[in-house]
Amino acid sequence: MSTALVNDPATPTRGARGTQLLGALLRSRELAVLVVLLLIVLGTTLKSNGFLFSSDGFRNLLVTPSLLLLLAVGQTLVIVTRNVDLSVGSVLGLTAYLTGRLFADNPGIPVIAVFAAGLAMGALLGLVNGVLVAFGRVPALVITLGTLYIYRGIFLTWAGSDRINASDMDPGFLALGTRSILGIPVLTLIALGVLAAVGYYLHTARGGRELYAIGSDPDAATLYGLRVTRRVLVAFVLSGALAGLAGVVYAARYGTVSSGAGSGIELQAVGAAVIGGVAIFGGSGTVWGAAIGAFLLVTINRALPIVGISDFWQRAVVGALILAAIVLDRVLANRQERRLREQQGSSAAEAAPPGPDGPPVPAGPTDPTTHHDEEARA
C-alpha cells in the first residue's frame, strides 16, 4: 500500500512540496515588506552608523515599535472580519492613565494587578464597540469613530491638566521599560509573545479560521451556520484588550502619561496592518505581516530625518505606502479571483457526465473556512 502511495503521480514528492513552499514564500507579501524593512535599515545605517550601532540604536529599533505592534495585531483581528477599530488610540490613552493612577493612589500595588486592570479595562471598552457593531448592525467605521471621541473625551475629563510622572509609579514597573533579556528588551518580548499567541490562534484554531471565513463572505458564513455575531464580538474584545495592554506598556516605556497619550496612533495601527498585507476588505492577511508593517512604519519615521527628509515628506511617504499596499491588494485579489474562476471552470468540465446531452453537475456547498484555505494556498 505504501509503495502505491509513493508511486502515485498525484502525490507530491518531497522536492515538489519544497518547491511549492519556496514559491509560496517568494510570493508572500510579508517577505516583500520584510525585504523593504531590511533595505531601509541597511541604507540608513550606511548613512549614519549610529542608527544601528550607537549605544541604544539596536535597542530602539526593537523596543520603539512594540506599542504599534500590539495595536496592529489587535487591529488585524478586527480587519479580517471586514471591520475596523478606530478607538484603539483612545483606549491606549485611558489605560495608560489608569496605570499611572493605580500606582499613584495605591502604593505597593502588584505590577501583575496593574497589567490585569489594563487588560480588563481595554476588553470592556472593546466589548462596547463589539456590542454596538455586532448587535446594532452599524458599520464599525461609524461606531468606532464615535467611541474614539467618546473615550478621548472621558480621558480628557478624567485627566484634565493632571500628568502622571515617573515618580508616581513603581520603580520595578518602570524597569520593564529599560530591562533586557539576552539583549532583547522586555517590552519587545511581551509584544512578540502576544504576536505568537494570536498568530497561532488564527492559524490553527477553528475560531481563528472562522474570523477569516466571516471576512471573506459574511452572508455565506451566516448561511453555513457560523456564529458570526459572537466571533465579531470576540474580535473587538481582543482588540480592546490588546490596546489596554499597549496602554500599560506605554506607561512603562515613557514613564509619564499626559492627556495626549495615544492620540492619532489608531491610524498608524490600521496603516501597519494594511501595509503588512492584511486586506482592508477582510478575509486575508496575517499578524506576522501586520507586525512587520508596524516595524516598517516606525523605522521609516526614525530613518527619514537621518537621511535629511522633512517631516512633511515623512507623512507623505507613509501615505504613499498605504495607498500602494491597497492597490497591490486589489490587483492580487483580482488575479486570485480570476484564477479561482478558471480552476472552477476546469473542475466543472471534468466533473460533467459524458455524452453530448448530459447536463453539467453543479458543485455542492463547501465549508467557508476550508474555502479560505484554498484561496490562501492559491
Side-chain angles (χ1 to χ4, degrees):
M1 182 177 176
S2 59
T3 304
L5 288 175
V6 170
N7 294 333
D8 185 358
T11 302
T13 63
R14 182 175 301 178
R17 285 197 296 269
T19 303
Q20 292 175 356
L21 181 61
L22 179 61
L25 184 63
L26 292 176
R27 290 195 300 270
S28 71
R29 290 276 299 278
E30 291 84 353
L31 181 63
V33 179
L34 180 61
V35 169
V36 172
L37 172 62
L38 294 177
L39 289 176
I40 290 174
V41 173
L42 177 62
T44 310
T45 304
L46 291 176
K47 177 74 174 179
S48 172
N49 289 336
F51 179 74
L52 189 60
F53 297 114
S54 64
S55 58
D56 57 353
F58 182 69
R59 173 182 170 76
N60 286 336
L61 186 69
L62 294 180
V63 74
T64 306
S66 300
L67 277 172
L68 189 57
L69 190 155
L70 289 171
L71 296 178
V73 168
Q75 198 68 245
T76 301
L77 287 166
V78 174
I79 292 179
V80 295
T81 64
R82 202 175 284 195
N83 289 292
V84 70
D85 187 354
L86 296 180
S87 68
V88 291
S90 299
V91 175
L92 183 153
L94 266 172
T95 53
Y97 189 73
L98 171 69
T99 300
R101 287 257 52 100
L102 286 175
F103 281 118
D105 299 337
N106 305 278
I109 185 174
V111 173
I112 189 68
V114 175
F115 271 91
L119 281 166
M121 184 172 185
L124 178 63
L125 298 175
L127 178 64
V128 173
N129 289 332
V131 168
L132 294 174
V133 172
F135 292 99
R137 307 294 180 186
V138 180
L141 179 67
V142 178
I143 291 295
T144 58
L145 182 62
T147 54
L148 179 156
Y149 287 106
I150 292 173
Y151 296 163
R152 180 62 61 178
I154 295 173
F155 182 22
L156 293 175
T157 303
W158 186 16
S161 59
D162 187 26
R163 178 188 181 95
I164 300 295
N165 297 309
S167 58
D168 298 323
M169 290 188 271
D170 185 83
F173 174 74
L174 292 176
L176 294 176
T178 56
R179 190 174 297 164
S180 299
I181 298 176
L182 300 176
I184 302 177
V186 171
L187 298 184
T188 304
L189 290 175
I190 292 174
L192 293 178
V194 170
L195 171 67
V198 175
Y200 182 80
Y201 170 75
L202 286 177
H203 186 68
T204 62
R206 181 173 180 83
R209 307 310 298 169
E210 287 183 358
L211 293 180
Y212 286 102
I214 292 168
S216 294
D217 193 334
D219 294 334
T222 302
L223 290 174
Y224 192 75
L226 300 186
R227 292 172 291 189
V228 175
T229 301
R230 178 182 296 185
R231 294 301 180 200
V232 171
L233 192 63
V234 169
F236 275 98
V237 170
L238 290 176
S239 175
L242 292 181
L245 177 61
V248 180
V249 170
Y250 179 98
R253 169 79 173 103
Y254 297 105
T256 60
V257 182
S258 66
S259 58
S263 180
I265 200 172
E266 57 276 347
L267 297 182
Q268 294 182 48
V270 175
V274 172
I275 290 173
V278 180
I280 195 66
F281 301 106
S284 68
T286 65
V287 290
W288 321 115
I292 298 172
F295 270 88
L296 178 62
L297 279 185
V298 174
T299 303
I300 284 177
N301 286 333
R302 291 186 57 224
L304 291 184
I306 294 177
V307 297
I309 296 179
S310 68
D311 182 68
F312 168 77
W313 288 109
Q314 293 173 36
R315 298 174 186 273
V317 168
V318 173
L321 279 175
I322 294 174
L323 289 178
I326 292 176
V327 170
L328 179 61
D329 178 69
R330 292 312 304 160
V331 170
L332 294 177
N334 290 335
R335 286 181 56 188
Q336 189 178 65
E337 185 178 355
R338 186 167 57 250
R339 188 183 305 129
L340 286 172
R341 280 202 301 266
E342 292 173 356
Q343 291 176 353
Q344 289 173 353
S346 301
S347 300
E350 292 175 358
D357 299 328
V361 179
T366 58
D367 185 344
T369 58
T370 57
H371 175 67
H372 170 77
D373 292 341
E374 292 169 1
E375 287 184 347
R377 285 194 296 271

